[in-house]
Amino acid sequence: PLKWKDTIVVGGSFVPCGPTVTVPPITICAGAGGTLTATGSNGTAPYIYTWNPATGLSSSTGSPVTVLTSVTTTSTYTVTCKDNTGASATATVTVTVNPLPTITVAPVAVCTGSCTNITASGASTYTWAAPVSANGATQNVCPTASTTYTVTGTDSKGCTNTGTGTVSVNPLPTITVTSPTGCKDSLISITASGGTTYSWNTGGTTATISVQPSAVGTSTYTVTGTDGNGCKNTAVSTVTAVDCSQPTVTVNSGTVCA
């Protein structure tokens, strides 16, 4: 006698005695979930589907079933299809899980009033969130305060992930400079402070420089100070030159007794 697993030849074709079941494989991104659909045929409907293992699926029975977002690695499932006569068939399906891309944005530091580029990596295409709201790996930003930027990257397999990067805004140094008075044709020292390095319009590169005004009056000298963060600011010294060639006589008034 024929059993449900046997096949018979009808008109030169092999016809299975009993149901068959097919389940197309699927590929998903980690954490995205998906759907497995089993289809029974060549049996007596209705069909009952049982999945094993049921871990990571929305249900152990039925078709279709949902692959839960908790499935983050490639997994294999077996479905058993039983028809109305009790005959059954099985099929195995693989759910390929592609990992999410790792999106990185290198942190950057800028000085107040400056702009800089921020660059994302780890994907094929990028979409930035406000305040950038643009596409592309590299964006030019001009923050007025330290700001964290968020970007969504999509890889070649269509999987997406987000990354963040912070642009720190460093304040400009406060550069101060002395404004002395001295004799013309004499060396007068000017001293700057507030920076780590200095650059004067005279060509000097130290905190203290000496100038020698050749005429009576005022002269201005500009210094640019740079701090440890590379931020720069300027200050101006006003040097007053006087004529010291003639002595200055001061007469103090006094009280004379009769």
Side-chain angles (χ1 to χ4, degrees), residues 82-196:
K82 182 180 292 186
D83 72 3
N84 198 40
T85 68
S88 63
T90 61
T92 299
V93 63
T94 298
V95 177
T96 302
V97 181
N98 291 322
L100 302 184
T102 299
I103 309 301
T104 58
V105 182
V108 183
V110 296
C111 303
T112 298
S114 298
C115 299
T116 188
N117 286 336
I118 52 175
T119 301
S121 61
S124 300
T125 62
Y126 303 90
T127 301
W128 295 82
V132 177
S133 298
N135 299 326
T138 300
Q139 301 296 325
N140 188 259
V141 295
C142 305
T144 57
S146 293
T147 304
T148 298
Y149 297 90
T150 301
V151 61
T152 298
T154 303
D155 65 14
S156 59
K157 297 177 181 178
C159 297
T160 63
N161 207 353
T162 60
T164 59
T166 299
V167 176
S168 302
V169 179
N170 295 317
L172 303 183
T174 299
I175 306 300
T176 59
V177 64
T178 57
S179 292
T181 297
C183 300
K184 77 178 184 69
D185 296 322
S186 297
L187 293 176
I188 302 174
S189 294
I190 315 171
T191 300
S193 61
T196 303

Side-chain angles (χ1 to χ4, degrees), residues 61 115 134 199 225:
T61 60
C115 299
S199 176

